[in-house]
């Protein structure tokens, strides 16, 4: 079977890797040939610019929580198979708050997660100082530790998965954008590239993230993603990185006004929900730069004596399904869609499940997340 994967972010490269690398360690299925197409390079888009936190940190929907914990276990298996790469960082996550309502919310979250069997615990200041010596929090703050969470360096992860896919025989086409799906008699037969070439396929998998709605629209399909161009849209966010300050943070830190973690360059990655809320496609560059300076000021409050400066500020557009849940499954004959928020958390697990489905073994785990559930 000829399989075309459109998009080489973390989801697309995980799919290409899984589909090119048979589970039994032998050859791929008879006639299988995997091609992945990416406009820039693997991991150059959202996957390489996002905060990239893998977690199952929300107990509100127990079924989806279990789906995510299964994904975390899959990440551990994949990382072991890749030789425990340095870009996979299961280093734990700490959250704290000093606000009364925030304390009640955090305590309830820890309790709810613990009831679901997730490792979540409240810790004291002494334990915080053991885990993150450079961080300072107010006296009386409520502090929670989630040791099984972590992050990946998304660009490096996508590149590594693309390389392994190639080693298994996949073809990776970069520098070309898929501009439309080719449809013949109601069946998708591949995609047309921006240079006019057609790539034919028996199965086309749309893993184009934020660009998926435009691509699928060429086949008359509406994908329910949050529109990043709408004023105040939740899809865009702003992520800043600092100059190198190795060892300042060991894991992820979620403070009331700042999320921070170690960066690929030895600096920090910084993000804040309230700043994200003002970052849409219409925001001018000077405001983006000013937001980066604001993130650094918050980081210096969290980490007294921090000597880093801002190295770069990036706008990241996340593919956000309107109801928050993944969109995974067939949409037309010859077409399968895999688009989700939390791609960093879910990518290897989705790849395993989709790998079963495209070879005729339905995955019950995906039943709640079909794209047509909104129809």
């Amino acid at each position: 079977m000829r399989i075309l994967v459109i998009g080489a972010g973390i989801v697309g490269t995980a799919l290409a890797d899984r589909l090119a690398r048979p589970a039994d360690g032998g050859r791929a299925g008879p006639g299988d040939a995997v091609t992945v197409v990416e406009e820039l390079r693997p991991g150059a888009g959202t996957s390489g610019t996002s905060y990239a936190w893998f977690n199952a940190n929300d107990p509100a929907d127990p079924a989806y929580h279990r789906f995510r914990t299964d994904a975390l276990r899959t990440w551990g298996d994949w990382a072991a198979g890749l030789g425990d790469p340095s870009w996979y960082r299961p280093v734990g996550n700490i959250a704290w708050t000093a606000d009364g309502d925030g304390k009640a919310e955090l305590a309830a979250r820890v309790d709810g997660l613990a009831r679901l069997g997730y490792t979540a615990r409240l810790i004291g200041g002494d334990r915080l100082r053991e885990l993150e010596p450079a961080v300072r929090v107010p006296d009386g703050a409520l502090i929670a530790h989630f040791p099984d969470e972590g992050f990946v360096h998304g660009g490096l992860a996508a590149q590594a998965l693309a390389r392994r896919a190639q080693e298994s025989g996949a073809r990776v086409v970069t520098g070309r954008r898929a501009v439309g799906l080719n449809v013949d008699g109601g069946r998708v037969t591949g995609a047309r590239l921006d240079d006019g070439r057609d790539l034919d396929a028996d199965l086309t998998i749309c893993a184009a993230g934020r660009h998926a709605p435009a691509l699928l629209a060429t086949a008359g399909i509406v994908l329910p993603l949050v529109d990043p161009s709408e004023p105040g849209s939740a899809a865009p966010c702003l992520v800043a990185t600092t100059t190198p300050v190795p060892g300042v943070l060991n894991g992820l830190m979620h403070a009331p006004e700042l999320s921070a973690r170690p960066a690929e360059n030895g600096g920090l990655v910084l993000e804040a929900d309230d700043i994200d809320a003002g970052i849409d496609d219409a925001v001018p560059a000077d405001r983006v730069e000013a937001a980066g300076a604001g993130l650094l000021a918050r980081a210096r409050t969290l980490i007294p004596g921090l000597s880093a400066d801002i190295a770069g500020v990036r706008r990241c557009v996340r593919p956000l399904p309107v109801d928050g849940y993944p969109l995974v499954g067939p949409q037309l004959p010859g077409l399968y869609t895999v688009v989700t928020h939390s791609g960093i958390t879910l990518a290897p697990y989705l790849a395993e499940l989709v790998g079963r489905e495209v070879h005729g073994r339905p995955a019950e785990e995906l039943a709640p997340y079909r794209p047509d559930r909104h129809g």
Side-chain angles (χ1 to χ4, degrees):
M1 179 164 58
R2 298 167 302 170
I3 301 174
L4 173 62
V5 179
I6 300 175
I10 193 69
V11 172
T13 54
L15 287 164
D17 174 51
R18 175 66 275 166
L19 294 168
R21 179 176 51 88
D24 62 4
R27 293 180 58 82
D32 277 8
V34 178
T35 299
V36 59
V37 176
E38 169 57 44
E39 181 177 7
L40 297 173
R41 63 187 184 280
T46 301
S47 297
T49 57
S50 72
Y51 187 64
W53 168 31
F54 59 77
N55 71 91
N57 201 276
D58 186 350
D61 181 339
Y64 188 47
H65 173 81
R66 287 192 298 273
F67 191 83
R68 293 174 70 94
T69 56
D70 287 343
L72 296 184
R73 284 191 289 272
T74 303
W75 249 129
D77 293 342
W78 277 42
L82 286 158
D84 292 317
S86 60
W87 48 257
Y88 170 73
R89 305 290 293 152
V91 288
N93 169 39
I94 292 171
W96 68 267
T97 181
D99 172 77
D101 291 341
K103 287 182 177 181
E105 180 181 342
L106 182 57
R109 177 151 52 97
V110 168
D111 181 66
L113 289 167
R115 289 175 183 274
L116 292 171
Y118 193 69
T119 306
R121 59 178 70 98
L122 297 177
I123 62 173
D126 290 344
R127 179 59 176 153
L128 172 64
R129 284 184 286 276
E130 291 175 3
L131 294 167
E132 297 290 357
V135 170
R136 295 294 179 268
V137 304
D139 292 339
L142 190 72
I143 309 165
H145 184 215
F146 309 94
D148 295 335
E149 299 176 5
F151 64 93
V152 301
H153 297 307
L156 294 179
Q159 292 160 27
L161 292 172
R163 282 195 300 271
R164 190 166 71 166
Q166 287 178 296
E167 291 167 0
S168 299
R171 177 188 176 204
V172 179
V173 178
T174 57
R176 296 269 66 96
R177 180 169 58 93
V179 295
L181 297 173
N182 294 332
V183 184
D184 183 8
R187 181 178 187 86
V188 173
T189 60
R192 174 156 294 182
L193 304 186
D194 55 359
D195 62 0
R197 282 185 295 160
D198 289 326
L199 292 180
D200 297 331
D202 302 301
L203 177 66
T204 299
I205 302 179
C206 176
R210 62 167 295 198
H211 302 293
L215 181 66
L216 294 172
T218 65
I221 296 170
V222 176
L223 194 70
L225 290 190
V226 173
D227 185 350
S229 68
E230 289 287 335
S233 172
C237 66
L238 185 141
V239 179
T241 54
T242 75
T243 54
V245 280
V248 169
L249 281 183
N250 297 316
L252 296 111
M253 176 64 59
H254 287 90
E257 294 186 333
L258 183 73
S259 298
R261 66 160 175 87
E264 180 182 328
N265 70 343
L268 300 175
V269 175
L270 309 174
E271 187 183 2
D273 288 343
D274 64 313
I275 290 178
D276 287 348
I279 301 297
D280 56 36
D281 285 350
V283 174
D286 60 337
R287 278 189 55 197
V288 170
E289 295 300 321
L295 287 169
L296 182 60
R298 296 181 187 191
R300 288 174 171 164
T301 299
L302 180 69
I303 306 170
L306 180 68
S307 60
D309 294 313
I310 292 295
V313 185
R314 304 164 297 180
R315 195 196 317 256
C316 172
V317 180
R318 301 166 290 195
L320 293 182
V322 294
D323 64 1
Y325 294 105
L327 298 160
V328 185
Q331 295 201 275
L332 288 175
L335 175 66
Y336 196 105
T337 292
V338 187
V339 176
T340 184
H341 184 40
S342 295
I344 291 291
T345 296
L346 299 178
Y349 187 47
L350 289 175
E352 295 286 355
L353 297 175
V354 173
R356 283 162 38 190
E357 291 217 319
V358 302
H359 287 106
R361 292 176 291 143
E364 294 182 4
E365 298 92 334
L366 293 174
Y369 309 118
R370 300 306 188 192
D372 60 2
R373 65 181 180 268
H374 296 278

mmCIF file of all heavy atoms in Angstrom, residues 86 89 151 153 156 240-250 261-270 303 306-309 311:
data_model
loop_
_atom_site.group_PDB
_atom_site.id
_atom_site.type_symbol
_atom_site.label_atom_id
_atom_site.label_comp_id
_atom_site.label_asym_id
_atom_site.label_seq_id
_atom_site.Cartn_x
_atom_site.Cartn_y
_atom_site.Cartn_z
ATOM 1 N N SER A 86 18.437 12.429 24.385
ATOM 2 C CA SER A 86 18.502 13.589 25.270
ATOM 3 C C SER A 86 17.353 14.562 25.052
ATOM 4 O O SER A 86 17.066 15.388 25.928
ATOM 5 C CB SER A 86 19.840 14.320 25.067
ATOM 6 O OG SER A 86 19.973 14.771 23.730
ATOM 7 N N ARG A 89 12.622 14.301 27.839
ATOM 8 C CA ARG A 89 12.989 14.731 29.179
ATOM 9 C C ARG A 89 11.854 14.464 30.181
ATOM 10 O O ARG A 89 11.056 15.357 30.492
ATOM 11 C CB ARG A 89 13.325 16.225 29.163
ATOM 12 C CG ARG A 89 14.404 16.633 28.158
ATOM 13 C CD ARG A 89 15.782 16.127 28.582
ATOM 14 N NE ARG A 89 16.206 16.795 29.791
ATOM 15 C CZ ARG A 89 17.024 16.275 30.690
ATOM 16 N NH1 ARG A 89 17.497 15.064 30.537
ATOM 17 N NH2 ARG A 89 17.358 16.968 31.749
ATOM 18 N N PHE A 151 8.918 16.987 29.181
ATOM 19 C CA PHE A 151 8.819 17.704 27.924
ATOM 20 C C PHE A 151 9.749 17.055 26.910
ATOM 21 O O PHE A 151 10.592 16.214 27.257
ATOM 22 C CB PHE A 151 9.178 19.191 28.099
ATOM 23 C CG PHE A 151 10.601 19.440 28.504
ATOM 24 C CD1 PHE A 151 11.591 19.677 27.560
ATOM 25 C CD2 PHE A 151 10.972 19.449 29.846
ATOM 26 C CE1 PHE A 151 12.906 19.914 27.929
ATOM 27 C CE2 PHE A 151 12.288 19.685 30.227
ATOM 28 C CZ PHE A 151 13.260 19.912 29.265
ATOM 29 N N HIS A 153 12.159 18.247 23.356
ATOM 30 C CA HIS A 153 12.577 19.270 22.404
ATOM 31 C C HIS A 153 11.958 18.859 21.069
ATOM 32 O O HIS A 153 12.454 17.961 20.374
ATOM 33 C CB HIS A 153 14.095 19.345 22.327
ATOM 34 C CG HIS A 153 14.744 19.759 23.612
ATOM 35 N ND1 HIS A 153 14.384 20.897 24.301
ATOM 36 C CD2 HIS A 153 15.738 19.182 24.362
ATOM 37 C CE1 HIS A 153 15.119 21.020 25.387
ATOM 38 N NE2 HIS A 153 15.938 19.982 25.447
ATOM 39 N N LEU A 156 13.861 18.516 17.591
ATOM 40 C CA LEU A 156 14.799 17.395 17.582
ATOM 41 C C LEU A 156 14.070 16.058 17.547
ATOM 42 O O LEU A 156 14.504 15.112 16.878
ATOM 43 C CB LEU A 156 15.708 17.460 18.816
ATOM 44 C CG LEU A 156 16.673 18.645 18.890
ATOM 45 C CD1 LEU A 156 17.478 18.583 20.183
ATOM 46 C CD2 LEU A 156 17.601 18.673 17.684
ATOM 47 N N ALA A 240 8.879 32.382 24.407
ATOM 48 C CA ALA A 240 10.178 33.041 24.398
ATOM 49 C C ALA A 240 11.251 32.063 24.864
ATOM 50 O O ALA A 240 10.985 31.189 25.697
ATOM 51 C CB ALA A 240 10.169 34.270 25.305
ATOM 52 N N THR A 241 12.441 32.213 24.345
ATOM 53 C CA THR A 241 13.595 31.462 24.829
ATOM 54 C C THR A 241 14.660 32.446 25.286
ATOM 55 O O THR A 241 14.780 33.551 24.745
ATOM 56 C CB THR A 241 14.181 30.535 23.752
ATOM 57 O OG1 THR A 241 14.464 31.298 22.573
ATOM 58 C CG2 THR A 241 13.201 29.435 23.396
ATOM 59 N N THR A 242 15.428 32.046 26.282
ATOM 60 C CA THR A 242 16.464 32.918 26.814
ATOM 61 C C THR A 242 17.845 32.459 26.354
ATOM 62 O O THR A 242 18.012 31.368 25.796
ATOM 63 C CB THR A 242 16.448 32.926 28.351
ATOM 64 O OG1 THR A 242 17.009 31.697 28.849
ATOM 65 C CG2 THR A 242 15.049 33.121 28.902
ATOM 66 N N THR A 243 18.814 33.295 26.608
ATOM 67 C CA THR A 243 20.206 32.915 26.403
ATOM 68 C C THR A 243 20.574 31.821 27.412
ATOM 69 O O THR A 243 19.874 31.620 28.416
ATOM 70 C CB THR A 243 21.113 34.138 26.584
ATOM 71 O OG1 THR A 243 20.842 34.746 27.853
ATOM 72 C CG2 THR A 243 20.890 35.147 25.476
ATOM 73 N N PRO A 244 21.652 31.082 27.170
ATOM 74 C CA PRO A 244 21.974 29.927 28.023
ATOM 75 C C PRO A 244 22.198 30.285 29.490
ATOM 76 O O PRO A 244 22.895 31.238 29.828
ATOM 77 C CB PRO A 244 23.254 29.386 27.392
ATOM 78 C CG PRO A 244 23.174 29.789 25.961
ATOM 79 C CD PRO A 244 22.538 31.141 25.981
ATOM 80 N N VAL A 245 21.544 29.500 30.339
ATOM 81 C CA VAL A 245 21.750 29.553 31.792
ATOM 82 C C VAL A 245 21.635 28.118 32.308
ATOM 83 O O VAL A 245 20.700 27.766 33.029
ATOM 84 C CB VAL A 245 20.732 30.472 32.504
ATOM 85 C CG1 VAL A 245 21.119 31.920 32.391
ATOM 86 C CG2 VAL A 245 19.317 30.261 31.944
ATOM 87 N N PRO A 246 22.555 27.244 31.937
ATOM 88 C CA PRO A 246 22.421 25.817 32.246
ATOM 89 C C PRO A 246 22.232 25.546 33.735
ATOM 90 O O PRO A 246 22.871 26.172 34.580
ATOM 91 C CB PRO A 246 23.748 25.224 31.749
ATOM 92 C CG PRO A 246 24.237 26.195 30.726
ATOM 93 C CD PRO A 246 23.794 27.540 31.206
ATOM 94 N N GLY A 247 21.315 24.619 34.014
ATOM 95 C CA GLY A 247 21.116 24.162 35.378
ATOM 96 C C GLY A 247 20.213 25.013 36.235
ATOM 97 O O GLY A 247 19.982 24.685 37.400
ATOM 98 N N VAL A 248 19.665 26.105 35.691
ATOM 99 C CA VAL A 248 18.791 26.957 36.494
ATOM 100 C C VAL A 248 17.495 26.231 36.838
ATOM 101 O O VAL A 248 16.991 26.328 37.956
ATOM 102 C CB VAL A 248 18.517 28.287 35.768
ATOM 103 C CG1 VAL A 248 17.414 29.072 36.456
ATOM 104 C CG2 VAL A 248 19.792 29.113 35.725
ATOM 105 N N LEU A 249 16.931 25.518 35.874
ATOM 106 C CA LEU A 249 15.758 24.685 36.119
ATOM 107 C C LEU A 249 16.082 23.239 35.767
ATOM 108 O O LEU A 249 16.778 22.987 34.776
ATOM 109 C CB LEU A 249 14.556 25.139 35.282
ATOM 110 C CG LEU A 249 13.755 26.343 35.748
ATOM 111 C CD1 LEU A 249 12.562 26.563 34.819
ATOM 112 C CD2 LEU A 249 13.271 26.192 37.184
ATOM 113 N N ASN A 250 15.548 22.320 36.553
ATOM 114 C CA ASN A 250 15.719 20.894 36.261
ATOM 115 C C ASN A 250 14.538 20.316 35.503
ATOM 116 O O ASN A 250 14.703 19.434 34.662
ATOM 117 C CB ASN A 250 15.925 20.127 37.565
ATOM 118 C CG ASN A 250 17.196 20.549 38.274
ATOM 119 O OD1 ASN A 250 18.233 20.706 37.647
ATOM 120 N ND2 ASN A 250 17.111 20.759 39.576
ATOM 121 N N ARG A 261 10.609 26.048 31.446
ATOM 122 C CA ARG A 261 11.320 24.771 31.404
ATOM 123 C C ARG A 261 12.674 24.980 30.735
ATOM 124 O O ARG A 261 12.905 26.017 30.094
ATOM 125 C CB ARG A 261 10.515 23.719 30.634
ATOM 126 C CG ARG A 261 10.338 24.027 29.143
ATOM 127 C CD ARG A 261 9.980 22.786 28.377
ATOM 128 N NE ARG A 261 9.680 22.985 26.975
ATOM 129 C CZ ARG A 261 10.586 23.002 25.996
ATOM 130 N NH1 ARG A 261 11.875 22.899 26.283
ATOM 131 N NH2 ARG A 261 10.217 23.161 24.733
ATOM 132 N N PRO A 262 13.584 24.021 30.857
ATOM 133 C CA PRO A 262 14.863 24.147 30.156
ATOM 134 C C PRO A 262 14.670 24.133 28.642
ATOM 135 O O PRO A 262 13.821 23.420 28.109
ATOM 136 C CB PRO A 262 15.641 22.913 30.623
ATOM 137 C CG PRO A 262 15.026 22.546 31.936
ATOM 138 C CD PRO A 262 13.564 22.870 31.785
ATOM 139 N N ALA A 263 15.492 24.911 27.957
ATOM 140 C CA ALA A 263 15.454 24.994 26.499
ATOM 141 C C ALA A 263 16.569 24.152 25.899
ATOM 142 O O ALA A 263 17.519 23.759 26.570
ATOM 143 C CB ALA A 263 15.588 26.441 26.043
ATOM 144 N N GLU A 264 16.425 23.911 24.606
ATOM 145 C CA GLU A 264 17.400 23.114 23.873
ATOM 146 C C GLU A 264 18.794 23.721 23.924
ATOM 147 O O GLU A 264 19.801 23.018 23.945
ATOM 148 C CB GLU A 264 16.917 23.000 22.421
ATOM 149 C CG GLU A 264 17.789 22.216 21.490
ATOM 150 C CD GLU A 264 17.215 22.224 20.083
ATOM 151 O OE1 GLU A 264 15.973 22.268 19.925
ATOM 152 O OE2 GLU A 264 18.022 22.204 19.135
ATOM 153 N N ASN A 265 18.882 25.069 23.972
ATOM 154 C CA ASN A 265 20.178 25.760 23.936
ATOM 155 C C ASN A 265 20.800 25.938 25.316
ATOM 156 O O ASN A 265 21.822 26.618 25.457
ATOM 157 C CB ASN A 265 20.026 27.130 23.266
ATOM 158 C CG ASN A 265 19.237 28.117 24.135
ATOM 159 O OD1 ASN A 265 18.543 27.713 25.066
ATOM 160 N ND2 ASN A 265 19.337 29.395 23.836
ATOM 161 N N GLY A 266 20.170 25.364 26.357
ATOM 162 C CA GLY A 266 20.660 25.544 27.709
ATOM 163 C C GLY A 266 20.030 26.723 28.427
ATOM 164 O O GLY A 266 20.332 26.970 29.601
ATOM 165 N N GLY A 267 19.163 27.444 27.748
ATOM 166 C CA GLY A 267 18.431 28.537 28.372
ATOM 167 C C GLY A 267 17.105 28.063 28.927
ATOM 168 O O GLY A 267 16.962 26.918 29.365
ATOM 169 N N LEU A 268 16.111 28.943 28.887
ATOM 170 C CA LEU A 268 14.774 28.632 29.367
ATOM 171 C C LEU A 268 13.758 28.877 28.261
ATOM 172 O O LEU A 268 13.940 29.750 27.407
ATOM 173 C CB LEU A 268 14.410 29.501 30.573
ATOM 174 C CG LEU A 268 15.289 29.389 31.810
ATOM 175 C CD1 LEU A 268 14.847 30.407 32.862
ATOM 176 C CD2 LEU A 268 15.259 27.975 32.385
ATOM 177 N N VAL A 269 12.679 28.107 28.293
ATOM 178 C CA VAL A 269 11.492 28.349 27.467
ATOM 179 C C VAL A 269 10.437 28.947 28.382
ATOM 180 O O VAL A 269 10.159 28.396 29.459
ATOM 181 C CB VAL A 269 10.969 27.040 26.839
ATOM 182 C CG1 VAL A 269 9.668 27.294 26.083
ATOM 183 C CG2 VAL A 269 12.010 26.433 25.917
ATOM 184 N N LEU A 270 9.849 30.062 27.972
ATOM 185 C CA LEU A 270 8.906 30.808 28.808
ATOM 186 C C LEU A 270 7.580 31.008 28.084
ATOM 187 O O LEU A 270 7.556 31.311 26.888
ATOM 188 C CB LEU A 270 9.488 32.186 29.157
ATOM 189 C CG LEU A 270 10.904 32.229 29.739
ATOM 190 C CD1 LEU A 270 11.363 33.672 29.883
ATOM 191 C CD2 LEU A 270 10.971 31.494 31.065
ATOM 192 N N ILE A 303 12.930 33.271 39.594
ATOM 193 C CA ILE A 303 14.294 32.775 39.777
ATOM 194 C C ILE A 303 15.186 33.987 40.074
ATOM 195 O O ILE A 303 15.758 34.596 39.156
ATOM 196 C CB ILE A 303 14.782 32.026 38.523
ATOM 197 C CG1 ILE A 303 13.803 30.921 38.150
ATOM 198 C CG2 ILE A 303 16.183 31.456 38.731
ATOM 199 C CD1 ILE A 303 14.061 30.288 36.792
ATOM 200 N N LEU A 306 18.484 35.611 38.099
ATOM 201 C CA LEU A 306 18.573 35.069 36.745
ATOM 202 C C LEU A 306 19.308 36.059 35.839
ATOM 203 O O LEU A 306 18.920 37.222 35.723
ATOM 204 C CB LEU A 306 17.169 34.801 36.201
ATOM 205 C CG LEU A 306 17.089 34.235 34.779
ATOM 206 C CD1 LEU A 306 17.649 32.822 34.728
ATOM 207 C CD2 LEU A 306 15.639 34.247 34.283
ATOM 208 N N SER A 307 20.359 35.598 35.193
ATOM 209 C CA SER A 307 21.200 36.493 34.392
ATOM 210 C C SER A 307 20.897 36.436 32.909
ATOM 211 O O SER A 307 21.532 37.149 32.124
ATOM 212 C CB SER A 307 22.679 36.144 34.612
ATOM 213 O OG SER A 307 22.934 34.800 34.218
ATOM 214 N N ALA A 308 19.951 35.622 32.494
ATOM 215 C CA ALA A 308 19.682 35.433 31.067
ATOM 216 C C ALA A 308 18.986 36.639 30.462
ATOM 217 O O ALA A 308 18.340 37.440 31.147
ATOM 218 C CB ALA A 308 18.814 34.196 30.878
ATOM 219 N N ASP A 309 19.118 36.750 29.153
ATOM 220 C CA ASP A 309 18.356 37.705 28.354
ATOM 221 C C ASP A 309 17.489 36.923 27.365
ATOM 222 O O ASP A 309 17.646 35.718 27.202
ATOM 223 C CB ASP A 309 19.295 38.637 27.593
ATOM 224 C CG ASP A 309 20.088 39.542 28.525
ATOM 225 O OD1 ASP A 309 19.479 40.124 29.435
ATOM 226 O OD2 ASP A 309 21.319 39.641 28.339
ATOM 227 N N ALA A 311 16.569 35.465 23.998
ATOM 228 C CA ALA A 311 17.271 35.083 22.768
ATOM 229 C C ALA A 311 16.352 35.120 21.560
ATOM 230 O O ALA A 311 16.800 35.345 20.434
ATOM 231 C CB ALA A 311 17.875 33.690 22.912
#
